[in-house]
Each structure stands twice: as C-alpha cells, then as structure tokens.
Amino acid sequence: MDYTLAVGDTDTTIPGGTGVLLLHPSIGETDRIDTDFLKADTDNFLVVSTRTTAREVEQKLEHYDVDESRAEILDTISVERGYSRRSSDHFHYVSSPDDLDGVVEQVENFLAAHVGKRRISVDSLTELAYYADVDGVYDATGRMLGLLAEHDAVGLFHLSREVHDDDEIRRFRELFDVVIDLTDDGDVTVELPGE
C-alpha cells in the first residue's frame, strides 16, 4: 500500500512500512509538516505527544483543519505535569514520560485496532530522550519502525538537530528510509531512498 508524502516542494508516494525522520531546529515550526503528514491519504492516525498535552494536540489539529474523528492521541506528558487525565476512547496515557515500553505498546495497540491507511507521528524523539535515555529511545524507535512494517503503516518521527551530537543524529538517520530536513530559515528538503 502506498501513501502520499507532500512536504515542501516534494509530492511523491512512499510504501507502507516507511519511517520518516523529521530533523528540525529546536524552535523550528514543525506543526505544518506534521499536520500535512497526518491529514493526507489516511484513515486513522495516532499522535504520540511528548511535548504537549492531548488537549493541546487537539487544538493544533483543529487549527490546521485536520479531521479529528480519525485521531487518537497518546499523551505522555500530562502525568509529569500533574494535569488530570481525561478519559476518552481517543486519548491514551502512559505511566510516565520515560515509559518507552508503554509507548511502543500503545503504538502496537493502535495499529492492531485499525485497518486501512494508518499513520503515526512521534513528537518528539528528542523529548523522549530527555526523560528516558538516547539508547532506550533508539531501541524503541527501531521497535516502532518494525511495527510500521508489520502493519503496512507509515510514521513521522521528530528529532531536534541542535540537541543531539553528530553521532547520535547519524545513528538515528540510519534507521529511516526518508529524511525531511527543516532548516532554521524554514526551508525544507526531502531525502528519499536512493538519493
């Protein structure tokens, strides 16, 4: 199954099982790339949010005119901030922001519960590494990519260029088939397989 990938000047398709790495500056405007990825050519999607609460993700989706009826949100941060967690069929939580096994399990549950075209967004790997550790996040990322391949789904994984050293960035890049590079100036380049 192929999925549309429309980012910047790139309008192409990627096969199911593809992981896309979004490299961005710490204060880069990633919302437009994220929501464009989620809204196109999809039946259901999961947002794994490590930076903002489920309510804030809902507001972002609404602002960018993304169909919220297709959305599920995994909120990893509310428990850390002491916020109440709203129970809902569409909201999911983990025990703590460093619960990487819980994150992977929720991704697996989402993919297994839905059919058709499914996308996930992990915003962000950098934030997960802040609470857990880089090696653990690297391992969890590999497991999530394996789930995408198993379920013929696609995923977008955010990584902040300024927080990680060159070796860490190179290590993560090697996991992914497609890399989107968002510069400080807002320019977007897309590196596809074989390029």
Side-chain angles (χ1 to χ4, degrees), residues 22 34 37-38 46-50 103 107 120-126 128 137 141 144 155-159:
L22 172 57
D34 201 40
F37 178 82
L38 293 171
L46 171 69
V47 177
V48 179
S49 184
T50 65
V103 169
V107 168
I120 67 166
S121 167
V122 180
D123 186 7
S124 75
L125 296 175
T126 299
L128 278 176
V137 171
T141 302
M144 287 187 276
L156 180 69
F157 296 74
H158 297 231
L159 191 72

Side-chain angles (χ1 to χ4, degrees), residues 98-158:
D98 63 352
D99 180 6
L100 298 175
D101 287 339
V103 169
V104 173
E105 182 181 344
Q106 290 286 353
V107 168
E108 183 171 22
N109 291 344
F110 165 78
L111 293 171
H114 297 281
V115 296
K117 293 193 170 184
R118 292 151 295 170
R119 296 177 185 245
I120 67 166
S121 167
V122 180
D123 186 7
S124 75
L125 296 175
T126 299
E127 205 73 19
L128 278 176
Y130 173 79
Y131 290 104
D133 63 272
V134 170
D135 288 341
V137 171
Y138 179 85
D139 176 64
T141 302
R143 289 157 62 197
M144 287 187 276
L145 291 169
L147 290 169
L148 293 179
E150 182 182 332
H151 292 275
D152 204 23
V154 293
L156 180 69
F157 296 74
H158 297 231

Side-chain angles (χ1 to χ4, degrees), residues 49 52-59 73 75 78 86 91 93:
S49 184
T52 55
T53 65
R55 181 69 196 123
E56 290 169 310
V57 173
E58 272 192 325
Q59 290 169 344
I73 301 166
D75 176 342
S78 283
R86 299 165 53 191
F91 291 166
Y93 300 91

Side-chain angles (χ1 to χ4, degrees), residues 13-180:
T13 60
I14 54 176
T18 300
V20 180
L21 180 65
L22 172 57
L23 275 175
H24 61 87
S26 293
I27 55 169
E29 183 48 61
T30 61
D31 285 355
R32 169 64 67 189
I33 293 172
D34 201 40
T35 52
D36 282 352
F37 178 82
L38 293 171
K39 76 165 78 167
D41 192 25
T42 186
D43 296 308
N44 297 96
F45 62 86
L46 171 69
V47 177
V48 179
S49 184
T50 65
R51 298 185 307 112
T52 55
T53 65
R55 181 69 196 123
E56 290 169 310
V57 173
E58 272 192 325
Q59 290 169 344
K60 177 176 88 170
L61 296 176
E62 191 175 307
H63 177 76
Y64 285 97
D65 198 28
V66 182
D67 184 355
E68 292 174 60
S69 69
R70 300 169 189 242
E72 292 194 23
I73 301 166
L74 173 57
D75 176 342
T76 70
I77 200 69
S78 283
V79 65
E80 174 74 11
R81 295 184 181 166
Y83 298 151
S84 61
R85 296 187 277 179
R86 299 165 53 191
S87 63
S88 159
D89 289 343
H90 301 294
F91 291 166
H92 308 280
Y93 300 91
V94 288
S95 60
S96 63
D98 63 352
D99 180 6
L100 298 175
D101 287 339
V103 169
V104 173
E105 182 181 344
Q106 290 286 353
V107 168
E108 183 171 22
N109 291 344
F110 165 78
L111 293 171
H114 297 281
V115 296
K117 293 193 170 184
R118 292 151 295 170
R119 296 177 185 245
I120 67 166
S121 167
V122 180
D123 186 7
S124 75
L125 296 175
T126 299
E127 205 73 19
L128 278 176
Y130 173 79
Y131 290 104
D133 63 272
V134 170
D135 288 341
V137 171
Y138 179 85
D139 176 64
T141 302
R143 289 157 62 197
M144 287 187 276
L145 291 169
L147 290 169
L148 293 179
E150 182 182 332
H151 292 275
D152 204 23
V154 293
L156 180 69
F157 296 74
H158 297 231
L159 191 72
S160 175
R161 184 185 309 103
E162 290 151 13
V163 175
H164 303 276
D165 63 33
D166 290 346
D167 288 341
E168 287 174 357
I169 290 173
R170 192 176 306 112
R171 191 175 173 213
F172 276 99
R173 278 184 84 119
E174 288 170 355
L175 288 174
F176 290 88
D177 301 314
V178 179
V179 178
I180 299 171

